Amino acid sequence: MSAKISRRSLLLALGGVGLVAGCGDHASWHAAGDIPGDSRPGEAASPDPSGSPLVIPPANPPTPGVCPSPGGLGPKGPQYTLPCHGTEIALTVDDGPDPTYTPRMLALLAQQGIHATFCMIGRSAAAHPDLVRRVLDGGHHIANHTHSHPMNIAKLPASAVHAEMAKASDAIAKASGNGYRPTLFRSPGGAWSPTVLAQCGTQGLRALDWTVDPRDWSRPGVQHIVSTILRQTHPGSIILEHDGGGNREQTLTALGVVLPRLRDAGYTFAQP
C-alpha cells in the first residue's frame, strides 16, 4: 500500500525542489525557449501543479524475463532495452547540461545513490564545462545528443549528421578536461534513419533509444510523469527524462517520488 506523503515531507525529501503551477501547449513552450523534447510523435500525496492530489500507483514488481518490446530498425538498430534477465533498469536524462536543473538533478541522484546517463547537447556542454565535469565526477555516463539538437536529423544528409555528432563529441571531450568521449548516441526525438545509424558506426557510437517516455519535457503534470513511469517500467526498461531544454521543475519533483518507489519495488539502476 502506498504511504501518504505530505507536501512538506515531499519537498523536504527533495531538498527544496518545488512545484510549479500551470502548463500550456507545445507552441507556448517552444516560444518560451524550450527545446522540443525527445518524445515520439495509490493514495493521495502532495498536490500536482494542476491542483489535483498526487495519486501514486504501485510500481510493477520486477519479474525477471518480463521486459518491454525491444523495437528495431534491424539488427544494427538502436538499443531500446537493457538485458532483462534480472531487475536492472536505466535512467537517461536529456538536453543538458543546464545551470539551473542539472545541479539539482545530480543532487537528487546522489541522494538516491543512482547513476544515470546524461545525453548532452554539444553546444550546452561547451557553455557549461563545469557541469560536464560534475556529471562525470558523480559517476554518471555522458552520451552524444548532437551539437544543436536538430529534430529533422533523420532527413539530413550524411555530411550534416556527421558534423552534428562529431562537434558534440569534440565539445564534450574538451569540456570534460580529461578527453572523455561518449560511446553512446541518442538521436533527437528518437529519429533514426539508415544515415544516422551509419554515422553512429562510422564514429564508434552505439545508438541508444528508450522504452518509457512520460513526455516530461511537455510539462504534463507531476501526476502524469509519476504514473507513466511506475506503470510502464519493467526489467530492461530505459526511462527518458530531461534536465535541459526548458523548465524541469515537474521532472525533478516526479523523480523524487519515482526513484525511491522503484528501488523499494526491487529495481536496480544500471547504465546502458
Side-chain angles (χ1 to χ4, degrees), residues 68 80-82 88-91 211-212 232-239:
Y80 287 85
T81 66
L82 301 178
E88 290 184 343
I89 56 177
L91 175 65
T211 54
V212 179
Q232 294 185 8
T233 297
H234 298 278
S237 290
I238 298 175
I239 301 168

Side-chain angles (χ1 to χ4, degrees), residues 76 78 144 161-162 165 183-187 192-208:
K76 295 184 179 180
N144 181 320
V161 175
H162 180 93
M165 292 183 183
T183 59
L184 295 168
F185 174 78
R186 170 161 283 168
S187 190
W192 302 103
S193 69
T195 299
V196 172
L197 293 174
Q199 286 302 314
C200 284
T202 297
Q203 300 193 39
L205 296 166
R206 288 190 294 123
L208 176 65

Side-chain angles (χ1 to χ4, degrees), residues 159-249:
S159 58
V161 175
H162 180 93
E164 282 286 340
M165 292 183 183
K167 288 176 68 176
S169 287
D170 289 346
I172 292 166
K174 183 177 180 180
S176 73
N178 63 6
Y180 177 99
R181 298 191 72 83
T183 59
L184 295 168
F185 174 78
R186 170 161 283 168
S187 190
W192 302 103
S193 69
T195 299
V196 172
L197 293 174
Q199 286 302 314
C200 284
T202 297
Q203 300 193 39
L205 296 166
R206 288 190 294 123
L208 176 65
D209 210 272
W210 62 81
T211 54
V212 179
D213 176 14
R215 295 178 63 84
D216 66 305
W217 66 273
S218 68
R219 286 177 264 173
V222 175
Q223 179 69 69
H224 177 86
I225 300 170
V226 168
S227 297
T228 300
I229 295 175
L230 292 181
R231 288 173 174 155
Q232 294 185 8
T233 297
H234 298 278
S237 290
I238 298 175
I239 301 168
L240 171 65
E241 294 289 285
H242 295 78
D243 66 333
N247 185 312
R248 300 297 172 239
E249 294 286 350

Side-chain angles (χ1 to χ4, degrees), residues 1-263:
M1 175 66 70
S2 299
K4 186 173 182 178
I5 304 173
S6 70
R7 176 185 176 87
R8 175 178 173 80
S9 297
L10 177 59
L11 295 183
L12 287 175
L14 292 175
V17 174
L19 299 174
V20 294
C23 57
D25 59 19
H26 189 169
S28 66
W29 299 321
H30 184 67
D34 286 5
I35 293 174
D38 297 308
S39 296
R40 281 177 292 269
E43 292 181 9
S46 63
D48 183 86
S50 66
S52 301
L54 179 60
V55 179
I56 305 175
N60 292 314
T63 305
V66 178
C67 61
S69 299
L73 286 188
K76 295 184 179 180
Q79 178 182 354
Y80 287 85
T81 66
L82 301 178
C84 65
H85 55 270
T87 61
E88 290 184 343
I89 56 177
L91 175 65
T92 59
V93 185
D94 285 20
D95 294 353
D98 179 271
T100 299
Y101 298 106
T102 301
R104 293 166 63 187
M105 180 69 73
L106 289 171
L108 177 60
L109 295 176
Q111 180 188 56
Q112 297 296 326
I114 290 170
H115 291 139
T117 298
F118 285 75
C119 304
M120 291 189 179
I121 297 172
R123 64 187 181 190
S124 296
H128 305 289
D130 58 318
L131 294 178
V132 174
R133 292 190 289 270
R134 285 179 63 179
V135 168
L136 293 174
D137 289 344
H140 307 283
H141 289 174
I142 295 177
N144 181 320
H145 195 34
T146 71
H147 192 70
S148 65
H149 203 275
M151 293 296 288
N152 66 337
I153 189 169
K155 298 179 180 180
L156 295 179
S159 58
V161 175
H162 180 93
E164 282 286 340
M165 292 183 183
K167 288 176 68 176
S169 287
D170 289 346
I172 292 166
K174 183 177 180 180
S176 73
N178 63 6
Y180 177 99
R181 298 191 72 83
T183 59
L184 295 168
F185 174 78
R186 170 161 283 168
S187 190
W192 302 103
S193 69
T195 299
V196 172
L197 293 174
Q199 286 302 314
C200 284
T202 297
Q203 300 193 39
L205 296 166
R206 288 190 294 123
L208 176 65
D209 210 272
W210 62 81
T211 54
V212 179
D213 176 14
R215 295 178 63 84
D216 66 305
W217 66 273
S218 68
R219 286 177 264 173
V222 175
Q223 179 69 69
H224 177 86
I225 300 170
V226 168
S227 297
T228 300
I229 295 175
L230 292 181
R231 288 173 174 155
Q232 294 185 8
T233 297
H234 298 278
S237 290
I238 298 175
I239 301 168
L240 171 65
E241 294 289 285
H242 295 78
D243 66 333
N247 185 312
R248 300 297 172 239
E249 294 286 350
Q250 290 184 9
T251 299
L252 288 165
T253 302
L255 286 179
V257 175
V258 163
L259 297 180
R261 292 297 173 123
L262 291 173
R263 291 180 63 198

